[in-house]
Amino acid sequence: MSTRIKNRISAKAALFTESVIREMTREALRHNAINLAQGFPDFAAPEELKLAAQEAIAADINQYAITWGSRELRAGIAAKSAEWQGRTIDPESEITVCCGATEAMIASLLATVNPGDEVIVFEPFYENYGADAILSGATPRYVSLHPPEDPDGEWYFDAAELRAAFNERTRAIILNTPNNPTGKVFTREELEVIRDLCVEFDALAITDEIYEHILYDGVQHISPATIEGMAERTITINGMSKTYSVTGWRVGWTIAPPDLTAAIRKVHDFLTVGAAAPLQAAGAVALRLPNSYYEHLSKDYLKRRDQLLTALRAAGLIAYRPRGAYYIMTNIAGFNFRDDVEFVRHLIADIGVAAVPGSSFYNSSLGSQQVRFAFCKRAETLAAAGERLHRLVAR
Ligand code: PLP
């Protein structure tokens, strides 16, 4: 019997592909490859957080939290922002706890963007932003982050190119600092250039600061909302995933002025109702960890960065030195592969190391000779990957 099935897929869902990053994780499992693709740690989360989560469940914190986040967690977020950023934030009207920074970003866009509005995104970008723009009806305008000539140098944007992307339809700019995948940490001067354009064009900044505590080489994280004139037009996004090595907990948040927060809370409520209540309770404990926790975090990541950077360079890749986050972007042009996808397939199937094709961070074809490696892994994992990478040869 022949049945006719009409096209059941929405125009929006048809417009973007599955996450390449998460696909690479599945490929890594299939080939038993070392997974340097997806950014999740293969080491334990802090003991006190695991205990706090267990205790919260035992204490029956098992029902819905307040939809925009438990009081305790919001108080913790406000206190930490005061200590680290010198910001005064009202947890009653300016914070929304979400299911990860991922939900925080889509909820922020759905709350602020109308179909046809333009949203500026630096390219290469964390791949979710492309799909987020489509889901929210925004038209993305990409502005290049250029790789440095010297791989130890800084990725940069051209202020004239950025200015050319702003116009009266610009609703927001998405900023990710420290940046995935480049490791760039935006400087105060760069943020001031962005501020001037946001003010001139009355645009919002939606800032993903999920790697704020993972920094190298003495570089400082500057939260864009702390730049004069930005607090009233910034939605600051952060979360527990990276800072506390709990990517599976799905706890993130937004900090935004009350009118924006009210809109974000409405969207968030109907998207997910709320993040897991016992993990919010454990989150409040995490936010009270002493400053030494963050110092150790950065120091441990510095060792991992240097270990992988050395291994990638020894294998013949041009590896850009990241100043923050836990990824290394590389250039593979010297290996004479057709493109990044062919290179990564070979890397996974024949070398036994998984990475992410650079093209998944680009809208343009500029990523076709780039590949991203994650180093949020144990020293043994990175050493084993380094051994295997020795087998890489040019075609
Ligand atoms: N933002 C960036 C820049 C990321 O790299 C990631 C994860 O890799 C996320 C957000 C996801 O954050 P969350 O786990 O809080 O949803």
Side-chain angles (χ1 to χ4, degrees):
M1 192 175 80
S2 78
T3 51
R4 273 193 330 119
I5 296 179
K6 61 179 186 242
N7 182 2
R8 297 184 287 194
I9 307 305
S10 75
K12 277 182 178 170
L15 269 178
F16 53 89
T17 59
E18 241 185 85
S19 158
V20 178
I21 297 177
R22 281 152 321 256
E23 183 196 340
M24 289 304 127
T25 287
R26 291 193 293 275
E27 282 293 289
L29 285 170
R30 204 158 73 82
H31 290 278
N32 206 13
I34 296 170
N35 187 359
L36 303 189
Q38 201 176 347
F40 61 83
D42 71 346
F43 45 84
E47 215 45 52
E48 52 269 65
L49 297 204
K50 292 192 286 192
L51 268 179
Q54 289 163 19
E55 282 166 9
I57 290 175
D60 246 322
I61 304 182
N62 293 316
Q63 308 308 327
Y64 300 123
I66 297 171
T67 187
W68 47 83
S70 76
R71 274 216 172 80
E72 215 194 346
L73 179 56
R74 282 181 289 119
I77 294 165
K80 184 157 175 292
S81 300
E83 183 180 347
W84 285 82
Q85 262 86 48
R87 296 186 67 188
T88 306
I89 290 156
D90 176 10
E92 287 311 314
S93 63
E94 296 184 304
I95 294 174
T96 310
V97 175
C98 298
C99 297
T102 301
E103 193 222 332
M105 180 59 76
I106 188 69
S108 297
L109 287 167
L110 288 171
T112 57
V113 168
N114 289 310
D117 286 350
E118 293 186 3
V119 171
I120 296 173
V121 179
F122 282 108
E123 178 189 60
F125 53 88
Y126 174 53
E127 63 171 358
N128 282 30
Y129 304 156
D132 287 342
I134 292 165
L135 288 171
S136 63
T139 304
R141 290 277 298 236
Y142 298 101
V143 174
S144 288
L145 286 178
H146 301 283
E149 199 68 33
D150 170 0
D152 286 329
E154 315 295 335
W155 290 70
Y156 63 96
F157 66 87
D158 181 315
E161 284 174 14
L162 181 62
R163 163 164 272 285
F166 274 85
N167 62 62
E168 70 286 352
R169 287 186 302 281
T170 307
R171 175 56 64 112
I173 179 168
I174 295 179
L175 254 180
N176 171 216
T177 184
N179 184 260
N180 171 12
T182 65
K184 176 179 176 61
V185 178
F186 284 74
T187 64
R188 178 171 296 281
E189 292 69 37
E190 289 173 324
L191 294 174
E192 284 172 356
V193 168
I194 294 167
R195 183 266 322 269
D196 290 348
L197 289 165
C198 285
V199 170
E200 184 180 338
F201 290 90
D202 192 17
L204 298 169
I206 308 180
T207 69
D208 180 342
E209 301 173 40
I210 190 121
Y211 298 102
E212 69 169 332
H213 288 291
I214 303 178
L215 299 163
Y216 316 108
D217 307 332
V219 165
Q220 301 285 316
H221 169 66
I222 297 168
S223 184
T226 63
I227 300 284
E228 200 192 338
M230 282 302 274
E232 63 261 36
R233 56 179 66 254
T234 301
I235 301 174
T236 305
I237 292 178
N238 216 319
M240 293 186 63
S241 284
K242 313 291 175 171
T243 303
Y244 305 107
S245 305
V246 288
T247 58
W249 281 19
R250 317 305 309 126
V251 179
W253 53 83
T254 63
I255 300 173
D259 60 325
L260 297 177
T261 294
I264 292 167
R265 285 179 174 183
K266 276 197 291 183
V267 174
H268 156 72
D269 191 3
F270 288 108
L271 275 179
T272 64
V273 178
L279 303 181
Q280 292 192 46
V285 173
L287 289 161
R288 289 197 294 269
L289 287 173
N291 288 354
S292 58
Y293 171 80
Y294 304 99
E295 282 161 27
H296 281 127
L297 184 78
S298 253
K299 272 199 195 130
D300 290 348
Y301 270 116
L302 176 64
K303 283 190 220 138
R304 296 184 188 109
R305 180 200 71 172
D306 289 347
Q307 189 179 356
L308 187 63
L309 197 61
T310 305
L312 292 171
R313 288 180 174 175
L317 290 138
I318 295 172
Y320 298 104
R321 179 188 298 271
R323 302 290 183 226
Y326 50 48
Y327 307 97
I328 297 178
M329 198 59 148
T330 64
N331 185 302
I332 56 158
F335 287 89
N336 294 321
F337 280 72
R338 189 180 59 234
D339 60 22
D340 56 331
V341 174
E342 192 190 43
F343 180 90
V344 168
R345 293 217 179 280
H346 167 65
L347 198 64
I348 295 177
D350 306 320
I351 306 291
V353 176
V356 181
S359 51
S360 65
F361 304 100
Y362 284 87
N363 181 55
S364 67
S365 59
L366 281 170
S368 69
Q369 291 295 324
Q370 294 181 16
V371 171
R372 189 201 77 174
F373 293 81
F375 57 86
C376 43
K377 308 292 169 185
R378 285 171 294 148
E380 307 88 274
T381 311
L382 296 173
E387 295 266 307
R388 293 183 182 192
L389 286 167
H390 280 312
R391 300 206 299 269
L392 254 181
V393 284
R395 292 218 153 149

Coordinates of all heavy atoms in Angstrom, one line a residue, residues 39 99-103 126 129 176 180 208 210-211 239 241-242 247 250-252 327, ligand 1:
G39 N 33.0 19.8 24.2 CA 33.7 20.5 25.4 C 33.1 20.1 26.7 O 32.4 20.8 27.4
C99 N 17.8 26.5 32.0 CA 18.5 25.2 31.8 C 19.7 25.4 31.0 O 19.7 25.2 29.8 CB 17.5 24.3 31.1 SG 16.0 23.9 32.1
G100 N 20.7 25.9 31.6 CA 22.0 26.1 31.0 C 22.1 27.4 30.2 O 21.0 28.1 30.0
A101 N 23.3 27.8 29.9 CA 23.5 29.0 29.0 C 22.8 28.8 27.7 O 22.4 29.8 27.1 CB 25.0 29.2 28.8
T102 N 22.6 27.6 27.3 CA 22.0 27.3 26.0 C 20.5 27.8 26.0 O 20.1 28.5 25.1 CB 22.0 25.8 25.8 OG1 23.3 25.3 25.8 CG2 21.3 25.4 24.5
E103 N 19.8 27.5 27.1 CA 18.4 28.0 27.1 C 18.4 29.5 27.4 O 17.6 30.2 26.8 CB 17.6 27.3 28.3 CG 16.1 27.6 28.1 CD 15.4 27.9 29.4 OE1 15.8 27.4 30.5 OE2 14.4 28.6 29.3
Y126 N 30.3 29.9 18.3 CA 29.7 28.7 18.9 C 28.5 28.3 18.1 O 27.6 29.1 17.9 CB 29.4 29.0 20.4 CG 28.7 27.9 21.1 CD1 29.3 26.6 21.0 CD2 27.5 28.1 21.8 CE1 28.7 25.5 21.7 CE2 26.9 27.0 22.4 CZ 27.5 25.8 22.4 OH 26.8 24.7 23.0
Y129 N 24.6 29.5 18.1 CA 24.1 30.8 17.8 C 23.4 30.9 16.4 O 22.5 31.6 16.2 CB 25.2 31.9 17.8 CG 26.0 32.0 19.1 CD1 27.2 32.5 19.1 CD2 25.4 31.6 20.3 CE1 28.0 32.6 20.3 CE2 26.1 31.6 21.5 CZ 27.4 32.1 21.5 OH 28.2 32.2 22.7
N176 N 30.8 36.5 22.7 CA 31.2 35.4 23.6 C 32.7 35.6 23.9 O 33.6 35.5 23.1 CB 31.0 34.1 22.8 CG 31.6 32.9 23.4 OD1 32.1 32.0 22.8 ND2 31.6 32.8 24.7
N180 N 34.7 30.7 22.4 CA 34.7 29.4 21.8 C 34.4 29.6 20.3 O 33.3 30.2 20.0 CB 33.7 28.5 22.4 CG 33.5 27.2 21.7 OD1 34.2 26.8 20.9 ND2 32.4 26.5 22.1
D208 N 27.8 36.0 26.2 CA 28.0 34.6 26.7 C 29.3 34.5 27.4 O 30.4 34.6 26.7 CB 27.8 33.6 25.5 CG 28.0 32.2 25.9 OD1 28.5 31.9 27.0 OD2 27.6 31.3 25.1
I210 N 30.4 32.2 29.6 CA 30.4 30.9 30.3 C 31.9 30.4 30.7 O 32.1 29.6 31.6 CB 29.7 29.8 29.4 CG1 29.5 28.5 30.1 CG2 30.3 29.6 28.1 CD1 28.0 28.2 30.2
Y211 N 32.9 31.0 30.0 CA 34.3 30.6 30.3 C 35.0 31.7 31.1 O 36.2 31.7 31.1 CB 35.0 30.3 29.0 CG 34.5 29.2 28.2 CD1 33.7 29.4 27.0 CD2 34.7 27.9 28.5 CE1 33.1 28.4 26.3 CE2 34.2 26.8 27.8 CZ 33.4 27.0 26.7 OH 32.8 26.0 26.0
G239 N 26.8 30.4 33.5 CA 26.3 29.1 34.0 C 27.3 28.3 34.7 O 28.4 28.7 34.9
S241 N 28.1 25.1 34.0 CA 28.7 24.0 33.2 C 30.2 23.9 33.2 O 30.8 22.9 33.5 CB 28.2 24.0 31.7 OG 26.9 23.6 31.6
K242 N 30.8 25.1 32.8 CA 32.3 25.1 32.6 C 33.0 25.4 33.9 O 34.0 24.8 34.2 CB 32.6 26.1 31.5 CG 31.7 26.0 30.3 CD 31.9 24.7 29.5 CE 30.9 24.6 28.3 NZ 31.1 23.5 27.4
T247 N 28.7 19.9 33.1 CA 28.0 20.3 31.9 C 26.6 19.6 31.8 O 25.7 20.0 31.2 CB 28.8 19.9 30.7 OG1 29.1 18.5 30.7 CG2 30.1 20.7 30.6
R250 N 22.9 21.3 33.6 CA 22.0 22.2 32.9 C 21.5 23.3 33.8 O 20.3 23.5 33.9 CB 20.8 21.4 32.3 CG 21.2 20.1 31.6 CD 22.3 20.2 30.5 NE 22.0 21.2 29.6 CZ 22.9 22.2 29.3 NH1 24.1 22.2 29.8 NH2 22.6 23.1 28.4
V251 N 22.4 24.0 34.4 CA 22.0 25.2 35.2 C 22.8 26.4 34.6 O 24.0 26.4 34.6 CB 22.3 25.1 36.7 CG1 21.9 26.3 37.4 CG2 21.6 23.9 37.2
G252 N 22.1 27.4 34.1 CA 22.7 28.7 33.7 C 21.8 29.8 34.0 O 20.8 29.6 34.7
Y327 N 39.6 25.4 24.3 CA 39.7 24.9 22.9 C 40.9 25.4 22.2 O 41.4 26.6 22.5 CB 38.5 25.3 22.1 CG 37.2 24.9 22.8 CD1 36.5 25.9 23.5 CD2 36.7 23.6 22.7 CE1 35.3 25.5 24.2 CE2 35.5 23.3 23.3 CZ 34.8 24.3 24.1 OH 33.7 23.9 24.7
Ligands
PLP1 N1 28.2 28.8 25.3 C1 29.4 28.5 24.8 C2 30.2 29.5 24.2 C3 29.8 27.1 24.9 O1 30.9 26.8 24.4 C4 28.9 26.2 25.5 C5 29.3 24.7 25.6 O2 30.2 24.3 24.9 C6 27.7 26.6 26.0 C7 27.3 28.0 25.9 C8 26.7 25.7 26.6 O3 26.5 26.1 27.9 P1 25.5 25.3 28.9 O4 26.0 23.9 29.2 O5 25.4 26.1 30.1 O6 24.2 25.2 28.1

